[in-house]
Amino acid sequence: IGNAWRVLGMVAAQSGQAIDVNEKSFTAAECFEKSLQIFEEAGIEADHARTLRDYARSGCAENSAEMMNQAREIFTRYKMPLEATRASF
């Protein structure tokens, strides 16, 4: 479910339009936030980091540099060098 929200956030950010899910509209930021919440609650840090990275790149986050740094730190901690390299603008 967290991955689905991340993808919806990416689509909403790219299109510049809210996404309708079950007759309710969600902005890109809301979709990314739902994804982050799901991964954080489940303790799935790698996907949490991927969401931080994609959220930072989307242009919807006020603290995008901080998010990208946090994603890179998580990837590095989990010895995911390719993902860490991709965690940049």
Side-chain angles (χ1 to χ4, degrees):
I1 301 292
N3 285 322
W5 281 110
R6 179 173 66 230
V7 170
L8 289 173
M10 293 166 66
V11 170
Q14 186 69 25
S15 70
Q17 298 181 8
I19 299 289
D20 291 337
V21 178
N22 293 329
E23 299 180 21
K24 185 175 180 199
S25 288
F26 295 90
T27 64
E30 290 171 326
C31 293
F32 284 120
E33 291 293 334
K34 284 190 168 287
S35 177
L36 289 171
Q37 179 183 3
I38 290 166
F39 290 132
E40 186 174 342
E41 289 175 0
I44 305 172
E45 290 198 65
D47 280 319
H48 183 83
R50 288 181 183 102
T51 302
L52 286 168
R53 178 194 61 206
D54 293 341
Y55 193 0
R57 285 184 182 159
S58 74
C60 300
E62 293 179 19
N63 55 343
S64 58
E66 182 181 323
M67 288 178 148
M68 193 66 79
N69 287 335
Q70 188 178 0
R72 195 175 309 108
E73 288 172 10
I74 294 168
F75 292 138
T76 300
R77 186 171 8 130
Y78 282 93
K79 296 179 175 44
M80 301 170 74
L82 183 57
E83 292 281 9
T85 302
R86 291 179 180 162
S88 62
F89 294 102

